[in-house]
Structure formats: structure tokens, C-alpha cells
Amino acid sequence: MPRSSRSPGDLCDPPEDVRPRRLASRSRNACRITEDTLSNTTWITSLACFLRTQVRQILFSTCRCKQFFQKLVEKTGVLVLCAFGFWMFSMHLPSKMEVWQDDSINSPLQSLRMYQEKVRHHTGEIQDLRGNMTQLIAKLQLMEAMSDEEKLAQKIMKMIQGDFIEKPDFALKSIGASIDFEQTSATYNHDKARSYWNWIRLWNYAQPPDVILEPNMTPGNCWAFSGDRGQVTIRLAQKVYLSNLTLQHIPKTISLSGSLDTAPKDFVIYGMEGSPREEVFLGAFQFQPENIIQMFQLQNQLARAFGAVKVKISSNWGNPRFTCLYRVRVHGSVTPPRMP
């Protein structure tokens, strides 16, 4: 076999073309090792990132679960408290409801009873009013059946009978007053006031002077004296401290003549006492026939008690033949009046 031309010393040294190949292969191995190392590092980094993300998601989920459980516990506590409160309320409510029901029932019952009592009371009043209304309707129907003259006469009589002088009358015949005929004018005699039979006079219809001491105020029931001047003296029932005198005449509406010319006009009042009779002036006055009842204040300044009163008339309202007096009242007191 042919031998190599290299020397034995050269066997230890590689050939020159072999060294570059080894260097290239070593560099390739180093690059491969480096690439393998880098790939391993990248994979580990990715794995770490993945694990970190998973851990964060788990932790976040855990926090949300924790919050959810906390809220659930809070809601559950509230529900438990509500259930406990409802149970307590349901335990005590029936007794309260019974009391409330008793009160709510008793109060309307009491109100209803009171209302029934009021209804009964008002029912009685309504029945009384109905009876009064029935009576008034009957009276109205009766008045409608009357003639106008009867209505007028009844109205006037009511006015006449109404006594507006609320004072005691010491000139009433029924309590002992009388007429002093010696100090009184003569009664007017008229042919129409006499009754005859065969030219013989039987009686006289003319009223005596004491008619003025009675409360009868019908037309014609008066004392008449001749002319327009006359007087009348009244003996009182007892001695009186005089204060007022009242004259009364019939109204024009029921006068038979349709006028008031026979009514007295100017007159003077005297108080009479002692024997012989002493006359004390008590005032001069005028009677207005439009006012059928007139009271006059006497001038008894010395506060003396008198047993008689004289009314002296000096004129009337136009009748030349006679003057009529219907009623005279004398007022005062049996005890001395208090001086102011």
C-alpha cells in the first residue's frame, strides 16, 4: 500500500484544511445552543406571564366572590331581621287589633246612640212645630174667610186692648176711685142719647163721668160735656205722690164720625188736698189725637201726696157742641219718691 507522504511529526497536527471546518462546526453548535437557550427562556417567560394572568383572574374572581358573599350575608341579615320583626309584630298584633276593634266599634255605637237621642228629641220638636203650623194655617184660613171690615175691626181692637203704659193706675174705679160730682162739669145731654115713650123720657143713654175710670175703650163709651171747656175731679183710691197722668182716646179709624174733633186739646192738671180743697198746679199740656195713648210728666216738685186730681180742659180739636173723655189714668207711688 502506498504510504502517506506526511511525516510522523505531522501526524499530531491536523491538516490546515481541517481546522477551519472544526471552527465552523463549533460556531454552529454554539449558535444552536444559544438559540435553544433563547427559545427555552421565551417559553418560560410566556409561561410565567400566563401563570401571572391566571393568578390575577383567580384573585379577581375570589374578590368578587368575597364581595358577593358579603352582600349575600348582609341581605340575609336584613331578611332575618325583617322576619324576626314580622314575627314579633304578628305575635302582638292580635291583642292590639282586638283593643282597636273594641274601640272602633264602641265609639260608633255611642255616636249612633247619641244621634238616635237627638233624632227623637228633634222629632218631638218637629211634631210640636207641625201642630203649631196646623193651628196657624187654620187661623189664616179663618181670617181669609172674614170680610175686610172684620179684619180691620179685630186689628183695631187688638191695638186698643194693648196696654203700653206699664204703671199702676190709682184712678181705677175697680180699686176704689170715684168722681167728685161737685167739682165736675155737667154731662152733655143730646136728644139721640135719650129714650122716649109717648113724649115721656124713659132713660138717658149718655154715659156718666165715672166711665173714664174704666178700661172699656169701645167707640161711644166716653163721658161728654157741653162745649170745649169743662173739668172733672177724680178722688183717688188713696193718697198718692203723683208722677204722671195718661189720657187715652179712640183712633180715627174706628170713630163713627170719621174725625177726632171731640178729643180734648189743651188742659191743666191740679193736685187737690185738704178741706177746703187746695189746688196745686201740676202742669199744662196738649193732647195729640194721632197718638191714642199719651202719658204726661207732672210737675210735683215738692213731692206732696194728693187724694184727688182735677183735669181742667180749655179746648178741643174743633167740635163746638161737646168734648169727649174716654179714659184718664193717674200714676205715682204711695211712698215718697227718692230725691236725686
Side-chain angles (χ1 to χ4, degrees):
M1 290 183 65
R3 294 184 180 183
S4 175
S5 63
R6 290 183 304 178
S7 64
D10 295 330
L11 291 172
C12 294
D13 296 328
E16 293 179 356
D17 54 348
V18 173
R19 289 181 180 178
R21 292 178 183 175
R22 289 181 179 176
L23 291 173
S25 64
R26 287 179 182 176
S27 62
R28 288 192 192 100
N29 293 332
C31 289
R32 287 176 182 173
I33 292 169
T34 302
E35 289 176 359
D36 295 335
T37 303
L38 289 175
S39 62
N40 292 332
T41 304
T42 303
W43 182 81
I44 291 170
T45 303
S46 300
L47 180 62
C49 292
F50 175 76
L51 292 175
R52 186 175 58 184
T53 304
Q54 293 298 322
V55 168
R56 285 182 179 177
Q57 290 180 356
I58 291 169
L59 290 175
F60 180 75
S61 301
T62 303
C63 292
R64 292 186 63 183
C65 291
K66 188 182 290 186
Q67 291 178 357
F68 173 77
F69 280 112
Q70 286 180 354
K71 291 183 179 180
L72 181 62
V73 169
E74 291 176 357
K75 299 293 183 181
T76 305
V78 172
L79 291 174
V80 169
L81 290 176
C82 291
F84 181 77
F86 180 77
W87 177 75
M88 293 293 293
F89 182 75
S90 62
M91 290 294 292
H92 294 279
L93 183 62
S95 59
K96 299 288 185 182
M97 286 292 291
E98 291 176 359
V99 174
W100 180 78
Q101 286 177 356
D102 292 338
D103 294 337
S104 62
I105 292 172
N106 291 331
S107 298
L109 285 176
Q110 291 178 357
S111 301
L112 182 60
R113 288 170 186 166
M114 293 176 63
Y115 181 76
Q116 288 177 349
E117 292 295 330
K118 290 182 180 180
V119 168
R120 292 194 190 98
H121 178 69
H122 289 304
T123 301
E125 292 182 350
I126 291 172
Q127 290 178 354
D128 294 338
L129 289 174
R130 186 177 296 174
N132 294 334
M133 287 295 296
T134 303
Q135 293 178 359
L136 287 174
I137 291 172
K139 289 181 180 179
L140 288 173
Q141 291 176 351
L142 184 61
M143 289 182 64
E144 289 177 356
M146 295 180 182
S147 61
D148 294 338
E149 291 80 7
E150 289 175 340
K151 292 180 184 178
L152 181 61
Q154 285 189 358
K155 184 177 179 180
I156 293 171
M157 289 304 298
K158 286 181 180 179
M159 292 176 60
I160 293 172
Q161 292 173 1
D163 193 351
F164 306 103
I165 308 299
E166 297 181 351
K167 289 180 177 292
D169 182 10
F170 291 94
L172 275 174
K173 184 177 180 180
S174 59
I175 65 172
S178 60
I179 298 295
D180 186 353
F181 289 95
E182 294 181 358
Q183 299 288 331
T184 300
S185 300
T187 300
Y188 175 69
N189 291 318
H190 191 266
D191 292 339
K192 292 183 179 180
R194 300 171 184 173
S195 178
Y196 291 90
W197 180 73
N198 290 334
W199 300 98
I200 300 174
R201 189 174 69 181
L202 297 178
W203 56 78
N204 192 351
Y205 288 105
Q207 299 291 345
D210 57 1
V211 74
I212 66 174
L213 309 180
E214 298 175 354
N216 188 358
M217 287 292 299
T218 54
N221 191 46
C222 65
W223 172 63
F225 58 87
S226 181
D228 58 356
R229 293 177 176 269
Q231 66 181 28
V232 59
T233 302
I234 303 171
R235 297 193 190 98
L236 303 177
Q238 62 188 64
K239 287 188 176 182
V240 179
Y241 291 90
L242 302 178
S243 61
N244 305 89
L245 184 137
T246 300
L247 288 185
Q248 187 172 354
H249 201 80
I250 61 172
K252 183 177 180 180
T253 51
I254 62 172
S255 175
L256 298 180
S257 62
S259 66
L260 299 175
D261 57 354
T262 61
K265 184 178 181 181
D266 299 308
F267 62 97
V268 180
I269 306 297
Y270 296 95
M272 303 184 68
E273 184 56 41
S275 181
R277 293 292 179 89
E278 177 188 0
E279 296 183 358
V280 179
F281 177 78
L282 298 179
F285 309 97
Q286 188 178 85
F287 180 77
Q288 300 293 331
E290 291 82 9
N291 300 325
I292 60 174
I293 301 177
Q294 296 178 45
M295 184 171 63
F296 305 94
Q297 181 74 35
L298 300 180
Q299 303 172 8
N300 190 9
Q301 298 178 354
L302 300 178
R304 293 177 56 182
F306 297 97
V309 174
K310 178 186 285 188
V311 181
K312 192 171 184 178
I313 299 169
S314 58
S315 63
N316 63 16
W317 285 93
N319 194 305
R321 293 181 299 164
F322 60 92
T323 304
C324 288
L325 274 180
Y326 272 87
R327 188 179 179 187
V328 178
R329 309 186 203 185
V330 178
H331 312 294
S333 62
V334 295
T335 59
R338 295 181 180 180
M339 300 301 294

